[in-house]
């Protein structure tokens, strides 16, 4: 009987949201934008030459080391001047060339003159080229075989493996890091988005005064739980649709893009990763050759999908229940949305804090005391544990964290329910924290 | 039918209901009266099991009030409200199903009531697109759709124009005639006299008056009469069996309010004045519920 009524409430909360136009728009738009963005970035990465403006450089080489050796690249082309420097300089002023590179006879005081300031990329490309050529020239002067030097300079590759009971597994620190942050971000965003939806729903019922009619038929706690579950299901639906649509779109769009690019898609992807993270910490992750790419793929393949997704689902749902109950209590305590701020910040603070800690502490040092504590406290564990999980967590810690989260969920829902049942009937009373405690203590 | 015993409810150390008891008879219309903030809504919420009393007990047909009674109660709160973005037909069905009706049953009855109140054309409209009167009708349907045995109506006529107020009043009386008990909370005293069999007056969280409307009104009679007559003024009569309270005269018609003298009957008055004046009208002045309400509340304050 009571279950029937909760089901009825869940059904209404779910359908009234799913039927909205905004739900449809958001559900369709996000995958399109997501896949479109990836496609665009990939396209730009591969067709960078087409996009970028080619600079022409007039070279006055007094040393004679460089003639014929400066190869043109996608962004810079070189022409050698036969004039001496001052004549070339005069000509440069009226020519179409963008830059004038002056290489004096003893190799010092090299200058790049430009009509405009040279971009970082241009000067980097030029400087790399002349350095490489100068190095070879010097080696040749010293009668050292450049092949020997190249061989000596070859960097060693460090392969990462994790010893587990089932044998050695390929891991990749960067992949682990990115996966962890990704999961943390999804949980963080979803808890906020759907939590706020629950809060809005509660305020709507309160403002429209339907609440009194509804709770003369069902208990406030049933209404609250029905709303929380209903909105949660909307979230899950949206998730599933997003994933399905994204995968579908990439299957359809991927080959088209690959054909257009005329190269193999994997290569394009590799380049894109390189271009996307210049100089950042993640640059370490940028696979530099096909060998490393294969390693990334192997490492991804080694992520235990059932285990990870199972944990994700658990932490997502429990975290959502916990936070949405708090949001429901906040919604019940106020008369309109503008009043929510004083309560919303304290509620979201643990989430924001953990998310900030996620990148700087937890992902860098997953087994530090702070990380472990954050992955135990119910308010922070959904985010913290999802990151730690990628690096491997002892079973006892995982079980403790889950048990604490369930306990935290039960206590929070109970406490929120007690505030909610009083709050929804209070109008025109400015709720303070003292007031909330009073409501919590009310009998019956 | 409903017996309310020694209900106490406290909020923030302030008593909303202080040892309130009353009995509500089956099949009658019961008026729950009182000034704003007297505790009416608190009591209604307790009967609806929205809140629980701190102490005291309510029984329905000798059975302790519990969850099973929820489906037998129809409640129209003073502050009306429905989901703004939901179509009214769907909404009424939803509320009916929360009261335990099946989908088909709920739909059937919703259609019946929508036709009866002439709002069937608005079935697919959202609440925000409807006029206030239309919303109120939909809300009334949601209140009665599950055939409750007990209707709790808090200011049911507010928001209705006189035509629709009459329509709703007749619906209430029709339901009452079929045996539905009605608890009726209002400030409009003329509708109390018209509708209610008995009343309770609550002031400052305490019950200060209760009983049948007829009994209360006769209890408040104080032997005051109105006499209309033509002829010479009775003002200076000697040894009259009454005390004149006021007298006015217009176009030869005198209107006199008087109080019966000690140990005298109305017949004595008639006997005394018959030879003196031509009597047009003699009636007892029975205080209206409105006057009783104001007088009792003021006295209590």
């Amino acid at each position: 009987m009571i279950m029937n009524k909760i089901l009825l409430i869940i059904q209404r909360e779910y359908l009234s949201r799913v039927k909205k136009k905004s739900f449809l728009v958001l559900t369709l738009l996000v995958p399109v934008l997501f896949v479109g963005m990836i496609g665009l970035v990939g396209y730009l990465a591969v067709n960078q030459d087409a996009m970028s403006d080619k600079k022409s450089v007039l070279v006055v080489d007094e040393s004679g080391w460089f003639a014929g050796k400066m190869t043109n690249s996608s962004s810079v082309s070189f022409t050698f001047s036969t004039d001496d420097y001052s004549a070339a300089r005069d000509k440069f002023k009226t020519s179409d060339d963008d830059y004038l590179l002056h290489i004096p006879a003893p190799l010092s005081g090299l200058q790049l003159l430009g009509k405009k300031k040279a971009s970082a990329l241009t000067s980097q490309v030029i400087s790399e080229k002349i350095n490489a050529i100068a190095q070879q020239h010097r080696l040749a002067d010293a009668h050292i075989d450049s092949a020997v030097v190249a061989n000596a300079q070859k960097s060693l590759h460090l392969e990462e493996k994790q010893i587990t009971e089932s044998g050695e597994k390929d891991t990749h620190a960067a992949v682990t890091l990115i996966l962890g942050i990704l999961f943390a971000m999804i949980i963080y965003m979803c808890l906020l988005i759907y939590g706020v939806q629950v809060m809005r729903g509660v305020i709507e019922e309160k403002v429209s005064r339907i609440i009194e009619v509804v709770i003369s038929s069902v208990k406030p706690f049933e209404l609250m739980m029905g709303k929380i579950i209903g909105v949660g299901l909307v979230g899950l639906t949206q998730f599933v649709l997003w994933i399905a649509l994204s995968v579908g779109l990439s299957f359809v769009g991927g080959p088209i893009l690959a054909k257009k690019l005329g190269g193999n898609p994997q290569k394009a992807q590799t380049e894109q990763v390189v271009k996307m993270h210049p100089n950042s910490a993640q640059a370490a992750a940028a696979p530099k050759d096909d060998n490393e790419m294969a390693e990334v793929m192997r490492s991804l393949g080694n992520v235990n999908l059932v285990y990870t997704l199972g944990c994700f689902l658990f932490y997502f749902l429990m975290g959502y229940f916990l936070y949405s109950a708090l949001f429901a209590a906040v919604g019940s305590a106020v008369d309109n949305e503008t009043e929510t701020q004083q309560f919303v910040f304290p509620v979201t603070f643990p989430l924001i804090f953990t998310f900030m800690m996620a990148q700087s502490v937890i992902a860098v040092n997953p087994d530090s005391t702070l990380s472990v504590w954050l992955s135990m406290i119910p308010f922070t564990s959904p985010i913290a544990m999802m990151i730690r999980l990628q690096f491997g967590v002892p079973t006892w810690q995982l079980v403790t964290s889950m048990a604490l989260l369930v306990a935290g969920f039960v206590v929070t829902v109970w406490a929120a329910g007690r505030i909610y049942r009083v709050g929804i009937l209070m109008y025109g009373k400015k709720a303070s924290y003292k007031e909330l405690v009073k409501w919590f203590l009310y009998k019956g | 039918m409903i017996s309310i015993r020694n209900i106490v409810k406290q909020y923030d150390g302030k008593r909303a209901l202080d040892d309130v008891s009353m009995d509500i008879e089956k099949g009658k219309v019961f008026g729950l009266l009182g000034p704003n903030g007297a505790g009416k809504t608190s009591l209604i919420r307790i009967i609806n099991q929205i809140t629980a009393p701190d102490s005291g007990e309510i029984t329905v047909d000798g059975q302790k009030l519990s969850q099973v009674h929820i489906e037998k109660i129809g409640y129209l709160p003073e502050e009306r409200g429905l989901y703004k973005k939901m179509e009214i037909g769907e909404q009424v069905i939803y509320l009916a199903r929360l009261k335990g009706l099946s989908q088909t049953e709920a739909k059937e009855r919703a259609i019946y009531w929508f036709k009866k109140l002439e709002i069937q054309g608005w079935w697919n409209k959202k609440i925000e697109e409807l006029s206030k009167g239309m919303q109120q009708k939909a809300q009334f349907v949601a209140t009665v759709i599950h055939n409750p045995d007990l209707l709790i109506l808090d200011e049911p006529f507010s928001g209705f124009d006189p035509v629709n107020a009459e329509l709703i009043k007749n619906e209430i009386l029709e339901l009452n005639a079929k045996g539905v008990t009605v608890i009726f909370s209002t400030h409009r005293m003329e509708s109390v006299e018209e509708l209610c069999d008995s009343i309770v007056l609550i002031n400052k969280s305490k019950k200060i008056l209760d009983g049948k409307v007829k009994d209360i009104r006769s209890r408040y009679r104080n032997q005051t009469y109105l006499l209309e007559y033509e002829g010479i003024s009775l003002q200076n009569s000697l040894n009259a069996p009454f005390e004149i309270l006021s007298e006015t005269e217009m176009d030869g018609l005198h209107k006199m309010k008087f109080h019966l003298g000690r140990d005298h009957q109305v017949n004595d008055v008639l006997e005394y004045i018959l030879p003196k004046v031509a009597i047009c009208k003699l009636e007892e002045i029975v205080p209206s519920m409105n006057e009783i309400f104001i007088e009792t509340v003021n006295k209590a304050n």
Side-chain angles (χ1 to χ4, degrees), chain A residues 66-178:
Chain A
F66 297 90
K69 285 181 186 157
M70 300 284 274
T71 48
N72 293 346
S73 79
S74 56
S75 56
V76 189
S77 67
F78 300 96
T79 44
F80 282 84
S81 168
T82 46
D83 301 316
D84 65 12
Y85 177 55
S86 55
R89 195 174 154 162
D90 287 339
K91 270 191 198 160
F92 170 70
K93 280 177 188 159
T94 52
S95 75
D96 291 337
D97 293 319
D98 296 296
Y99 299 102
L100 176 68
L101 177 64
H102 179 218
I103 308 173
L107 286 184
S108 71
L110 279 78
Q111 275 185 325
L112 184 68
L113 289 102
K115 286 168 187 159
K116 282 193 288 183
K117 274 186 194 160
S119 74
L121 183 70
T122 310
S123 80
Q124 192 193 340
V125 168
I126 296 172
S127 125
E128 268 171 20
K129 277 191 200 275
I130 52 180
N131 272 315
I133 295 167
Q135 192 183 25
Q136 273 196 340
H137 208 98
R138 287 189 192 118
L139 287 172
D141 280 356
H143 305 292
I144 297 168
D145 188 355
S146 59
V148 174
V149 177
N151 198 31
Q153 283 181 339
K154 212 178 226 169
S155 68
L156 294 173
H157 178 64
L158 183 66
E159 207 174 344
E160 295 151 27
K161 279 184 193 283
Q162 181 188 9
I163 300 173
T164 64
E165 281 159 25
S166 55
E168 287 180 15
K169 273 206 237 163
D170 286 315
T171 62
H172 200 285
V175 173
T176 316
L177 180 91
I178 290 170

Side-chain angles (χ1 to χ4, degrees), chain A residues 30 67 88 101 132 183 187 206 258 286 294 358 424 435:
Chain A
V30 166
L101 177 64
F183 279 126
I187 286 190
K206 202 178 163 183
I424 46 175
E435 200 73 27

Side-chain angles (χ1 to χ4, degrees), chain A residues 47-315:
Chain A
N47 289 3
Q48 209 179 30
D49 313 358
M51 298 292 153
S52 73
D53 175 25
K54 207 164 187 170
K55 303 286 183 203
S56 62
V57 179
L58 185 66
V59 186
V60 178
D61 177 21
E62 290 166 5
S63 65
W65 286 15
F66 297 90
K69 285 181 186 157
M70 300 284 274
T71 48
N72 293 346
S73 79
S74 56
S75 56
V76 189
S77 67
F78 300 96
T79 44
F80 282 84
S81 168
T82 46
D83 301 316
D84 65 12
Y85 177 55
S86 55
R89 195 174 154 162
D90 287 339
K91 270 191 198 160
F92 170 70
K93 280 177 188 159
T94 52
S95 75
D96 291 337
D97 293 319
D98 296 296
Y99 299 102
L100 176 68
L101 177 64
H102 179 218
I103 308 173
L107 286 184
S108 71
L110 279 78
Q111 275 185 325
L112 184 68
L113 289 102
K115 286 168 187 159
K116 282 193 288 183
K117 274 186 194 160
S119 74
L121 183 70
T122 310
S123 80
Q124 192 193 340
V125 168
I126 296 172
S127 125
E128 268 171 20
K129 277 191 200 275
I130 52 180
N131 272 315
I133 295 167
Q135 192 183 25
Q136 273 196 340
H137 208 98
R138 287 189 192 118
L139 287 172
D141 280 356
H143 305 292
I144 297 168
D145 188 355
S146 59
V148 174
V149 177
N151 198 31
Q153 283 181 339
K154 212 178 226 169
S155 68
L156 294 173
H157 178 64
L158 183 66
E159 207 174 344
E160 295 151 27
K161 279 184 193 283
Q162 181 188 9
I163 300 173
T164 64
E165 281 159 25
S166 55
E168 287 180 15
K169 273 206 237 163
D170 286 315
T171 62
H172 200 285
V175 173
T176 316
L177 180 91
I178 290 170
L179 263 184
I181 301 273
L182 189 74
F183 279 126
M185 199 155 88
I186 292 173
I187 286 190
Y188 169 74
M189 282 178 29
C190 288
L191 292 192
L192 280 184
I193 290 171
Y194 297 112
V196 167
Q197 277 209 28
V198 169
M199 185 179 77
R200 288 221 178 102
V202 172
I203 295 173
E204 186 209 341
E205 271 167 354
K206 202 178 163 183
V207 169
S208 73
R209 308 267 178 170
I210 178 99
I211 190 78
E212 201 161 343
V213 175
V214 176
I215 58 168
S216 69
S217 305
V218 297
K219 288 211 168 109
F221 187 76
E222 291 163 30
L223 178 62
M224 187 179 93
M225 283 317 288
K227 186 175 283 298
I228 288 174
I229 296 170
V231 174
L233 287 177
V234 173
L236 282 181
T237 309
Q238 204 152 41
F239 252 162
V240 170
L241 286 176
W242 276 345
I243 292 169
L245 281 170
S246 299
V247 170
L249 271 178
S250 350
F251 265 112
V252 176
I256 297 174
L257 191 69
K259 210 186 271 174
K260 273 223 169 113
L261 298 178
N264 75 32
Q266 208 172 50
K267 185 96 202 302
Q269 226 172 347
T270 316
E271 272 182 47
Q272 168 204 328
V273 175
V274 179
K275 295 268 152 60
M276 269 168 69
H277 308 289
N279 301 327
S280 74
Q282 280 114 316
K288 291 184 181 69
D289 48 42
D290 288 347
N291 192 24
E292 187 153 359
M293 188 66 210
E295 210 176 286
V296 168
M297 295 315 286
R298 259 208 319 274
S299 171
L300 272 176
N302 264 333
V303 173
N304 187 336
L305 216 60
V306 178
Y307 176 74
T308 309
L309 282 184
C311 286
F312 172 73
L313 216 60
F314 178 85
Y315 280 102

Side-chain angles (χ1 to χ4, degrees), chain B residues 3-65:
Chain B
S3 162
I4 294 167
R5 289 283 152 262
N6 312 97
I7 294 290
V8 175
K9 179 76 186 176
Q10 208 146 323
Y11 291 110
D12 284 349
K14 234 184 72 187
R15 290 221 155 169
L17 291 168
D18 189 359
D19 198 23
V20 171
S21 301
M22 61 188 75
D23 285 292
I24 297 163
E25 258 181 274
K26 205 181 190 94
K28 295 280 162 60
V29 180
F30 183 85
L32 183 58
L33 317 178
N36 293 326
K40 285 173 297 178
T41 306
S42 296
L43 182 60
I44 287 176
R45 282 181 178 167
I46 288 170
I47 299 173
N48 272 308
Q49 301 176 62
I50 290 172
T51 49
D54 296 339
S55 68
E57 194 186 46
I58 296 179
T59 55
V60 180
D61 297 330
Q63 210 182 355
K64 204 162 182 266
L65 186 71

Side-chain angles (χ1 to χ4, degrees), chain A residues 334-377:
Chain A
V334 298
D335 285 350
N336 56 60
E337 219 166 304
T338 48
E339 280 176 38
T340 57
Q341 274 149 358
Q342 58 159 331
F343 298 115
V344 168
F345 180 70
V347 168
T348 51
F349 178 75
L351 274 182
I352 297 169
F353 175 75
T354 324
F355 190 63
M356 287 187 329
M357 287 290 118
Q359 294 166 49
S360 56
V361 177
I362 306 168
V364 180
N365 210 342
D367 292 320
S368 67
T369 318
L370 180 61
S371 303
V372 173
W373 274 107
L374 285 176
S375 69
M376 290 295 156
I377 300 167

Side-chain angles (χ1 to χ4, degrees), chain B residues 8 10 22 77 88 101 141 146 155 186 213 233 245 250 288:
Chain B
V8 175
Q10 208 146 323
M22 61 188 75
I88 55 167
L101 258 57
V141 173
H146 55 291
E155 293 291 350
T186 187
V213 171
S233 172
L245 297 172
M250 206 192 235
S288 67

Side-chain angles (χ1 to χ4, degrees), chain A residues 12 15 19, chain B residues 86-95 123:
Chain A
R12 196 204 79 85
L15 289 178
K19 276 200 254 167
Chain B
M86 210 172 168
E87 293 168 5
I88 55 167
E90 199 187 345
Q91 184 149 197
V92 166
I93 289 176
Y94 172 65
L95 292 172
W123 183 272

